[in-house]
Amino acid sequence: MNTKLVKIEENPQFFSEAGEILRAGGLVAFPTETVYGLGGNALDSLAAKKIYAAKGRPSDNPLIVHVAEMESLYELASEVPQTALRLARRFWPGPLTMILPKKASVPDGTTGGLKTVAVRMPNHPVALQLIRTSGVYIAAPSANTSGRPSPTCAEHVMEDLNGKIEMILDGGAVEIGIESTIVDLTGEIPVILRPGYITKQMLEEVVGEVAVDPAVLTRHPDPGLRPKAPGMKYKHYAPKAELIILEGEPQAVIQRINQETKKAQEKGKKVGVIATTKTKDSYDADVIRVIGSRDEEETIARGLYGSLREFDKDQVDLIFSESFSDGIWGQAVMNRLLKAAGYQVITVS
Ligand code: TXA
Ligand code: MG
């Protein structure tokens, strides 16, 4: 298959072609404010099959359905509780996905056989226009090969999906850089299944008490603990090299990373370090990548996946990373980093 890559903002005439592809059951990747999505018609189970095939993703891992209007909630969910309405009014369009009981019209192929559906209204003009022009609800996982870091620009999508999908709408680099917050609204109190830019505190300001799925921030994944978002159980976001996180007092972390780097280099390994603006000159590794600045936390979320992908190109054998557990973004960034590291953490005292 020939994948057509178009700079959509300069060539808006391609919206209608992209819409036709979706209506015909084909796949179009597009930007959202979080990461790029791989879109197909959410009500067409064959399109869902194609999405799984293109990503190489297990088909028990359900897809998020993207909408452009609030009313669409009633087309997809069999019940829309007050909490869902309040959250949608406050955070949509935006990086919040809500899990609700599904209507029969949403195929099992889209929800991985679950009786619930994940719905989100993305805050990106290209995504919204694509949904409106196509006239379909768009099922879209992140547009990466399963297991790889999510794409934050169209080049990342090309790396993974060139030749496997009909079209990629290039809308430049995304703003947020990590996936939406997922909140399950099917129980008594809302439960966060995946942390993101919209934090527990932000949700609680709107709907009162909110819980967090214990699988979200675990440091020692217990094989008996099944995350409620099926996708969160897979190895994820991972660079090809082994990744180890070091946490503790900042100066001690730098020292220890340099010691570990030296040891690994003596064994002939090429070593990478994930650093921040202020620490970058403190390391002796072969490749040092600045993922962002701790003073502007949002830059760290935005830089995370791109940095992990870059390390693949550098062909390092081992990567050491500083840890990021503070602030608004901390939980979401750390959740992704821990998965990418397969939960390997060294605590430096
Ligand atoms: O920001 C985002 O959410 C991006 C953009 C493209 O919108 N999408 C995204 O999709 O991250 P994906 O497929 O990579 O992650 C979807 C997550 C998976 O962990 C999946 O298991 C969970 O959502 N999920 C989807 N439907 C669910 C459901 N009915 N119940 C529980 N978890 C669900
Ligand atoms: Mg994903």
Side-chain angles (χ1 to χ4, degrees), residues 245-265:
I245 304 167
L246 286 95
E247 65 180 2
E249 194 271 313
Q251 276 312 315
V253 164
I254 292 172
Q255 250 182 32
R256 182 67 180 271
I257 287 182
N258 283 334
Q259 281 167 11
E260 297 291 334
T261 297
K262 192 154 173 254
K263 271 196 252 167
Q265 284 171 334

Side-chain angles (χ1 to χ4, degrees), residues 2 17 42 58-59 65 83 92 104-105 114 116 130 139 145 150 155 158 165 190-191 216 253 277 297 300 302 322 346:
N2 211 345
E17 189 178 331
S59 60
V65 181
T83 48
W92 278 7
S105 53
L114 296 177
T116 52
L130 181 65
T145 300
S150 298
E155 291 73 39
M158 276 299 273
I165 63 177
V191 183
V216 163
V253 164
T277 318
E297 259 195 299
I300 290 174
R302 208 182 284 146
E322 298 176 10
I346 298 177

Side-chain angles (χ1 to χ4, degrees), residues 55 142 144 150 179 236:
K55 278 183 65 90
S142 48
N144 51 286
S150 298
E179 304 85 346
H236 247 108

